[in-house]
Amino acid sequence: MTVDASRGAEAPPELVQLLTPEGVRVEHPDYDIDLTPEEVRSLYRDLVLVRRIDLEAVALQRQGELGIWASLLGQEAAQIGSGRALTDSDMAFPTYREHGVAWCRDVDPVKLLGLFRGVNHGGWDPEEHNFHLYTIVIGSQTLHAVGYAMGIQRDDASAATIAYFGDGATSQGDVNESFIWASVFNAPIVFFCQNNQWAISEPLEKQSRIPLYRRASGFGFPGIRVDGNDVFACLAVTRKALEAARTGQGPTLIEAFTYRMGAHTTTDDPTRYRVASELEAWKLKDPIERVKSYLFRNELADQGFFDAVTAEADQLGADLRRRCLAMPDPEPLDMFDHVYREPHALIDGERAQFAAYLEGFEK
Ligand SMILES: Cc1ncc(C[n+]2csc(CCOP(=O)(O)OP(=O)(O)O)c2C)c(N)n1
Ligand SMILES: [Mg+2]
């Protein structure tokens, strides 16, 4: 048996960063990005608005209006940076937490709430937005995404696919199988892993002994770690990886190193398994504050701009709340309608059984 002498004594992995937590712009030889002041203000607005959507959703769940909610708090930059890197013809496959990416794909946020309120099964048309339905089964969307990417390849289309998943998902067979298929077929796909350091109560060290981005080399494609709280870096790195995919250079694994600042979902209590100081340390790396500091520091925005974004966020939150409460309960039997495209004997049987059950209640 040979023993790897370097085990446990490796240099810390390089992190692509273009904006420090203090809001100072730094250069990277391979990942430069030239953003106009208007584009930076627009990214700031996106970050603030998706955080507001998330905050409103958490409040709605707490008031019993949603069954559950998976918060994106802390992951805004990873989602907006990668989401804004997509072109209209690219296709995204999300998990259940990609509300910021949904925003970039012009999915009405009230449709996201519908799913968590239990009044629809997704509510948006994936083809209209090039944004697939949310996937709860951990990692399974990576296989769907690779299949889609291979379709793009066979159509000879100039587009790429992006598959989102978490750190915990990297332990799933589906994700590893999708890496193999993507690699062997040189599929036009970007694997975007938001390493928020937790899979419910399981810490990252229970998933891997090496940094996640390095897994890619074993499958035969490049992997890169980016500061997931840096929207500039996430945008630059994802843009480059998507372009590589579109031009026949195959897959890339991006590990966006970030932190889940909230609970796993509203059913979870993270104070039972992680220490408060960890959260406090990550608050100093907040993805929104650093863009705000950058805008202030460089006099690219004045107080009037920040006040206007806050006012827009308040209005968005209030509007979302009003439209969420107005969503009607669906007819119970409607849930059988969209399971398969064609009629299916098993579904017909289940519908009949459930209809008989409903008949048993007094009207
Ligand atoms: C196949 C499968 N196994 C288990 C679960 C239960 N489950 C839901 S979320 C989760 C953790 C996922 O962690 P990670 O991939 O890091 O994503 P995050 O929630 O942190 O964004 C688990 C185990 C599931 N939904 N699907
Ligand atoms: Mg995670």
Side-chain angles (χ1 to χ4, degrees):
M1 195 179 104
T2 56
V3 176
D4 178 2
S6 73
R7 188 184 291 179
E10 298 182 21
E14 198 203 347
L15 189 74
V16 177
Q17 187 183 69
L18 299 177
L19 189 63
T20 69
E22 294 75 31
V24 176
R25 186 77 168 79
V26 286
E27 299 300 322
H28 190 284
D30 301 327
Y31 294 95
D32 201 18
I33 194 163
D34 200 11
L35 296 167
T36 64
E38 179 64 39
E39 285 170 322
V40 179
R41 286 193 293 269
S42 178
L43 289 170
Y44 174 81
R45 174 180 171 270
D46 283 338
L47 294 167
V48 170
L49 295 185
V50 299
R51 181 169 286 188
R52 190 67 176 78
I53 291 166
D54 189 70
L55 189 71
E56 198 63 40
V58 171
L60 283 162
Q61 195 285 331
R62 285 287 178 258
Q63 292 156 5
E65 299 295 344
L66 303 180
I68 188 172
W69 180 254
S71 169
L72 63 55
L73 189 65
Q75 299 178 218
E76 295 87 349
Q79 297 194 13
I80 295 298
S82 60
R84 287 296 177 212
L86 296 166
T87 64
D88 284 350
S89 45
D90 295 332
M91 182 72 181
F93 285 79
T95 70
Y96 40 78
R97 204 186 289 286
E98 267 67 74
H99 322 309
V101 187
W103 172 259
C104 296
R105 301 312 269 169
D106 287 332
V107 175
D108 184 343
V110 82
K111 293 188 174 172
L112 307 176
L113 298 191
L115 179 67
F116 292 92
R117 192 173 165 84
V119 303
N120 66 40
H121 286 168
W124 61 91
D125 179 354
E127 283 185 44
E128 187 189 336
H129 299 279
N130 272 15
F131 185 70
H132 199 261
L133 295 179
Y134 275 2
T135 307
I136 311 289
V137 182
I138 300 298
S140 63
Q141 75 281 3
T142 58
L143 286 172
H144 309 156
V146 172
Y148 191 95
M150 289 171 66
I152 288 178
Q153 196 175 35
R154 275 146 192 78
D155 289 346
D156 214 7
S158 177
T161 303
I162 189 165
Y164 289 88
F165 53 97
D167 44 291
T170 62
S171 300
Q172 285 288 125
D174 283 4
V175 174
N176 289 270
E177 288 161 20
S178 72
F179 285 177
I180 293 169
W181 276 79
S183 174
V184 169
F185 286 91
N186 206 41
I189 184 164
V190 173
F191 293 108
F192 195 91
C193 176
Q194 286 169 84
N195 175 2
N196 64 11
Q197 321 222 18
W198 292 92
I200 315 184
S201 54
E202 289 291 285
L204 180 64
E205 58 265 26
K206 293 279 173 63
Q207 311 291 347
S208 183
R209 294 290 294 268
I210 59 162
L212 293 177
Y213 79 97
R214 283 183 43 201
R215 293 254 179 99
S217 78
F219 291 93
F221 54 89
I224 180 129
R225 179 180 269 193
V226 61
D227 181 343
N229 285 18
D230 173 353
V231 73
F232 295 175
C234 289
L235 178 61
V237 168
T238 313
R239 245 185 209 164
K240 197 165 176 177
L242 286 167
E243 189 52 21
R246 281 188 218 104
T247 53
Q249 296 173 64
T252 303
L253 169 63
I254 298 173
E255 177 192 358
F257 197 74
T258 181
Y259 189 73
R260 195 197 77 208
M261 290 175 78
H264 169 69
T265 67
T266 46
T267 60
D268 171 48
D269 174 9
T271 63
R272 294 183 61 174
Y273 56 80
R274 64 185 193 188
V275 293
S277 58
E278 190 178 285
L279 178 61
E280 292 309 311
W282 277 91
K283 277 184 186 165
L284 301 173
K285 302 178 193 173
D286 189 278
I288 302 185
E289 283 308 310
R290 68 178 74 183
V291 182
K292 191 172 189 178
S293 299
Y294 173 79
L295 285 168
F296 254 133
R297 199 184 282 271
N298 296 286
E299 297 179 6
L300 300 176
D302 57 15
Q303 194 53 47
F305 166 76
F306 293 112
D307 291 347
V309 173
T310 305
E312 187 182 0
D314 288 344
Q315 202 183 346
L316 177 66
D319 179 61
L320 197 58
R321 164 171 294 269
R322 185 181 49 73
R323 292 193 299 138
C324 176
L325 301 185
M327 274 191 284
D329 284 348
E331 286 300 319
L333 291 176
D334 286 357
M335 69 176 158
F336 296 98
D337 289 351
H338 305 292
V339 180
Y340 293 114
R341 192 187 176 107
E342 309 290 334
H344 190 288
L346 184 66
I347 298 293
D348 290 345
E350 288 181 354
R351 181 192 287 107
Q353 197 180 19
F354 194 54
Y357 169 75
L358 292 174
E359 281 297 314
F361 291 93
E362 285 179 20
K363 292 267 155 43

